[in-house]
Amino acid sequence: MALNAVEILSNSSPDYYFNTIKLIENKKGFSNPEAYTITVDSLDHSLTVTSPSGQGLLYGALSLYRPGNGKNHTDYPRNEIRILNHWDNLDGTIERGYAGKSIWNWDTPLTEDQISLYNKYALANAMAGINGTVLNNVNASPNMLNHDKLERVAEIADILRPYGIKVYLSVNFASPSVIGGLETADPLNKEVAKWWKDKAKEIYALIPDFGGFLVKANSEGQPGPCDFGRTHADGANMLAKALKPFGGKVMWRAFVYSPSDPDRAKQAYAEFNPLDGKFDDNVLVQVKNGPVDFQPREPFSPLFGGMTETPLIAELQITQEYLGHANHLAYLAPMWEEFFEEAPSDNIKGVAGVANIGDNENLTGHPLAQANWYAFGRLAWNPQLKSEDIIEEWAEMTPWLNLDETQMPEFKKMMCESREHVVDYMMPIGLHHQFAWGHHYGPQPWCEIPGARADWLPKYYHKADKNGIGFDRTVATGSGATAQYPESFANQFENPKTCPEKYLLWFHHLDWNYKLPSGETIWESLNRHYDSGVDGVAEMRKIWQNLEGCTDPDIYKDIENRLLTQHKDAIWWRDGCLEYFGNISNLKPSKLSMHTLEDMIPVELGIDNYTNPSKELLDSKR
Ligand code: GCW
């Protein structure tokens, strides 16, 4: 691999004072191909990075940008695959993208600006330890595999390669019939298998180190092997055989929820657990962190611990589909840290993150959402890192932030508490999926769409009535989802007395006046959390005011405005949920609401799934 760490380093040198920095490739003593060791000779101010590979040398060299790393140490990635998933479409839109249009140009010759942007993108990824990227949406256009598009993929791969980043593509399972002219896409059909083999050959002729395919099959209307009476394993293995001769991998998503069980949270496990051990060795099953869908808080998916014979990729969402899009400040590392702490991880071999990157000047919409991109990479590299350390690293390395010693703790506090505030003002104590239809911005616990799938509607999840609230997933009286977990977790989740409070209404339907160990009732606890979420955002605004001067005035103002929108949204969330649930239960919110249900219910933002609602739009609606 043509890595050039020296060149990258010499473009902008780290702060450390070293007369010489040596990079030595040496396989001896290393078992992980991407590991590196740094040794410092303090007498002559020289530093040596040693690694078995160019890739490791690059990581070692780039690690010098992180504060305090210019000392003797060794590091290595705990996961082999650390990959971004772009949900970018060929027409430039990004599904759940809130930072503008796609950075990938599929149609016209690449401009100098685009090439320079792709280089910066690659360097930012390498600095975070990311080593792969899936360029297109999992809702994949079959046209992605047309030759002209593959030539562009090859150009992009050439730019990313020096930074140690492999490209992968999402593929549409019906491609052989849609663009290949075959009558079927049945994975057991010989011509179909041959079509994929030929396609793989064509791809590898252009991109010798192509990473492989990511597949969303038989999910949300996407085609897949089940259309032909075959299993997910049949589909994945057929593709795996096409890629195998070239060293490619198949990342097969487990985000499926065909209504085979009345509880959506059980469906992926029900479909995939019986297939454990049936996949070829170059297949990884990619599982979202939670059993439903990237909610601000979910217990881990039972497929972690439930697929012991299959290598898994944990899929996280960096883009904030369910956490206020690019308007809300939500530093996501604490959420991912929680996942890595709780989920059985023996079979996790990779971590994927749905990218929050678009062509906005700052690439992520909310300037501080850059930290989520970085934190994703760092946790994929080492899931045991602490979110508060990662944010400090990021802040110290970020050229547009200048925090002095007194400001840093305040900044860290604001960032590290931000996600919990979002959980509090959106869906505390295990409530989930109370989002507005389609775009998922703002609350809609009242939502009704004639003819819609029940499990796309908030009422299916909150199940509130005059007596109580929550989804009963116990074996004793509910859907039995708790039984999908390893025994120790199953027992803990099954009993409302031992179930962690943060997951209470995820697993239990409880009376409004059910008493928590604190002595509070469910209703009181909900009120306290919603209020605390709103207060938390007010506090973040205050902290940000105190930090004025730590960044350029335009960026400061931009963040200040977004925090103001977040504050208004948090109030909207609290009022929407408490007024609605209060109306059902005949209980009064503890604080006076600023909005009435009559005001809130008719509001339609009128946005699609590709845009961040502007402050002006939101202000005009409330
Ligand atoms: O989170 C949901 C989103 C869809 C997405 C799907 C998935 C790409 O609402 O927009 O589709 O998950 O993960 O496949």
Side-chain angles (χ1 to χ4, degrees):
M1 196 175 295
L3 290 171
N4 197 340
V6 173
E7 195 182 304
I8 290 165
L9 268 177
S10 62
N11 281 342
S12 60
S13 273
D15 290 342
Y16 308 104
Y17 168 64
F18 295 111
N19 290 329
T20 47
I21 296 181
K22 284 179 264 175
L23 303 176
I24 297 180
E25 202 168 320
N26 185 352
K27 298 215 171 357
K28 238 168 107 200
F30 289 103
S31 55
N32 186 310
E34 294 173 288
Y36 66 83
T37 291
I38 290 190
T39 39
V40 172
D41 185 333
S42 44
L43 285 181
D44 71 350
H45 284 280
S46 75
L47 181 148
T48 308
V49 186
T50 317
S51 168
S53 68
Q55 183 108 358
L57 290 179
L58 177 78
Y59 291 133
L62 292 177
S63 80
L64 296 173
Y65 286 94
R66 284 198 284 277
N69 260 357
K71 58 173 189 237
N72 292 346
H73 73 282
T74 293
D75 201 3
Y76 64 95
R78 312 308 188 265
N79 293 294
E80 188 188 327
I81 298 179
R82 308 175 300 277
I83 188 168
L84 287 181
N85 288 186
H86 288 268
W87 285 357
D88 295 21
N89 298 315
L90 287 172
D91 67 2
T93 56
I94 306 177
E95 186 155 347
R96 315 302 177 182
Y98 311 114
K101 288 285 178 79
S102 174
I103 57 172
W104 311 122
N105 166 8
W106 299 110
D107 302 315
T108 50
L110 291 182
T111 64
E112 282 305 312
D113 282 352
Q114 281 163 342
I115 293 170
S116 142
L117 174 64
Y118 298 173
N119 274 280
K120 284 187 191 137
Y121 161 90
L123 179 58
N125 278 321
M127 290 188 78
I130 292 167
N131 67 355
T133 181
V134 183
L135 300 177
N136 62 318
N137 192 354
V138 288
N139 290 329
S141 164
N143 293 331
M144 190 70 237
L145 292 177
N146 286 336
H147 195 76
D148 62 321
K149 298 292 178 278
L150 294 176
E151 283 175 337
R152 176 51 50 87
V153 176
E155 269 184 88
I156 296 173
D158 288 343
I159 302 174
L160 306 189
R161 187 171 297 111
Y163 302 89
I165 295 159
K166 276 190 185 180
V167 299
Y168 298 67
L169 290 177
S170 296
V171 297
N172 182 301
F173 201 77
S175 299
S177 49
V178 185
I179 59 163
L182 301 187
E183 264 166 27
T184 176
D186 180 349
L188 299 196
N189 177 293
K190 286 210 172 76
E191 293 199 13
V192 169
K194 179 171 181 319
W195 187 89
W196 284 107
K197 280 194 170 143
D198 291 345
K199 194 42 90 179
K201 218 192 252 168
E202 181 187 340
I203 295 174
Y204 280 92
L206 291 166
I207 313 155
D209 56 353
F210 179 71
F213 295 149
L214 172 62
V215 194
K216 171 175 177 178
N218 295 112
S219 164
E220 300 184 331
Q222 292 301 311
C226 310
D227 302 344
F228 310 96
R230 315 298 181 195
T231 67
H232 285 280
D234 293 330
N237 293 343
M238 182 273 293
L239 292 178
K241 288 188 176 68
L243 295 173
K244 178 91 178 173
F246 310 100
K249 294 186 165 51
V250 173
M251 301 175 292
W252 192 270
R253 292 177 91 227
F255 179 65
V256 295
Y257 55 106
S258 44
S260 50
D261 186 288
D263 182 0
R264 173 170 163 184
K266 288 175 66 186
Q267 290 156 5
Y269 180 97
E271 225 169 309
F272 274 80
N273 168 270
L275 298 174
D276 192 20
K278 301 220 162 86
F279 292 96
D280 283 10
D281 61 6
N282 56 333
V283 177
L284 297 110
V285 171
Q286 181 161 316
V287 184
K288 289 189 182 183
N289 60 297
V292 171
D293 191 11
F294 296 139
Q295 300 299 290
R297 171 165 280 134
E298 292 192 38
F300 65 86
S301 160
L303 282 170
F304 299 104
M307 303 260 309
T308 51
E309 306 296 316
T310 311
L312 302 176
I313 295 183
E315 182 178 314
L316 311 173
Q317 196 180 43
I318 313 172
T319 191
Q320 291 168 229
E321 173 178 358
Y322 295 104
L323 287 101
H325 299 187
N327 288 338
H328 293 202
L329 172 59
Y331 172 52
L332 301 176
M335 172 162 82
W336 301 328
E337 204 182 347
E338 186 173 273
F339 164 75
F340 287 118
E341 270 167 24
E342 295 176 10
S345 62
D346 289 357
N347 274 22
I348 300 181
K349 305 293 172 218
V351 188
V354 181
N356 62 348
I357 299 158
D359 69 357
N360 279 182
E361 201 186 340
N362 63 25
L363 297 183
T364 55
H366 198 306
L368 293 171
Q370 289 180 1
N372 288 332
W373 174 6
Y374 178 75
F376 160 76
R378 294 291 287 141
L379 283 168
W381 175 280
N382 181 0
Q384 267 153 25
L385 294 178
K386 295 288 157 231
S387 50
E388 56 192 79
D389 297 335
I390 298 174
I391 195 61
E392 185 161 343
E393 259 172 42
W394 176 80
E396 293 216 15
M397 289 192 303
T398 295
W400 53 266
L401 261 185
N402 280 303
L403 298 157
D404 65 30
E405 272 169 31
T406 58
Q407 292 171 322
M408 183 62 92
E410 285 293 283
F411 178 75
K412 280 171 72 175
K413 177 177 156 61
M414 175 179 83
M415 295 300 280
C416 290
E417 292 178 357
S418 57
R419 177 265 186 157
E420 200 61 36
H421 299 323
V422 177
V423 172
D424 277 344
Y425 63 70
M426 287 187 178
M427 281 160 263
I429 56 169
L431 274 179
H432 48 293
H433 224 312
Q434 298 309 298
F435 294 96
W437 176 256
H439 53 72
H440 298 154
Y441 191 91
Q444 229 176 46
W446 49 80
C447 177
E448 274 180 58
I449 306 279
R453 273 181 75 138
D455 58 5
W456 282 0
L457 297 169
K459 286 184 181 175
Y460 168 90
Y461 297 97
H462 64 62
K463 301 205 186 306
D465 59 21
K466 66 177 187 343
N467 299 318
I469 184 168
F471 200 126
D472 185 352
R473 295 197 162 102
T474 63
V475 172
T477 52
S479 76
T482 55
Q484 293 182 334
Y485 285 90
E487 210 182 325
S488 60
F489 288 100
N491 292 340
Q492 196 195 16
F493 296 155
E494 176 75 10
N495 181 345
K497 298 262 175 284
T498 53
C499 180
E501 213 168 291
K502 61 185 178 180
Y503 302 136
L504 205 51
L505 301 179
W506 183 284
F507 288 112
H508 298 276
H509 183 87
L510 298 169
D511 283 357
W512 294 108
N513 55 14
Y514 173 88
K515 282 240 162 82
L516 300 167
S518 62
E520 276 178 324
T521 65
I522 290 285
W523 178 246
E524 286 163 353
S525 174
L526 282 174
N527 273 271
R528 182 170 56 77
H529 281 282
Y530 276 109
D531 287 335
S532 147
V534 173
D535 294 346
V537 181
E539 198 195 341
M540 296 202 298
R541 290 181 64 201
K542 222 184 274 156
I543 295 179
W544 188 243
Q545 259 174 17
N546 293 339
L547 297 178
E548 191 170 2
C550 73
T551 186
D552 153 301
D554 290 343
I555 300 178
Y556 175 80
K557 193 85 208 138
D558 182 10
I559 295 173
E560 187 183 43
N561 279 333
R562 286 179 206 258
L563 283 167
L564 174 60
T565 298
Q566 183 172 6
H567 198 180
K568 292 179 189 166
D569 284 347
I571 294 170
W572 190 265
W573 265 99
R574 178 193 63 191
D575 291 355
C577 294
L578 289 180
E579 284 294 319
Y580 175 78
F581 295 134
N583 193 37
I584 292 181
S585 60
N586 247 324
L587 293 160
K588 274 214 164 10
S590 59
K591 285 198 180 147
L592 212 57
S593 297
M594 291 176 65
H595 310 283
T596 64
L597 274 186
E598 292 66 40
D599 292 341
M600 291 183 282
I601 289 178
V603 169
E604 290 291 343
L605 293 181
I607 51 170
D608 57 28
N609 298 349
Y610 313 107
T611 6
N612 189 55
S614 68
K615 180 172 181 292
E616 294 68 34
L617 172 79
L618 292 166
D619 286 346
S620 72
K621 298 282 182 179
R622 59 185 170 202

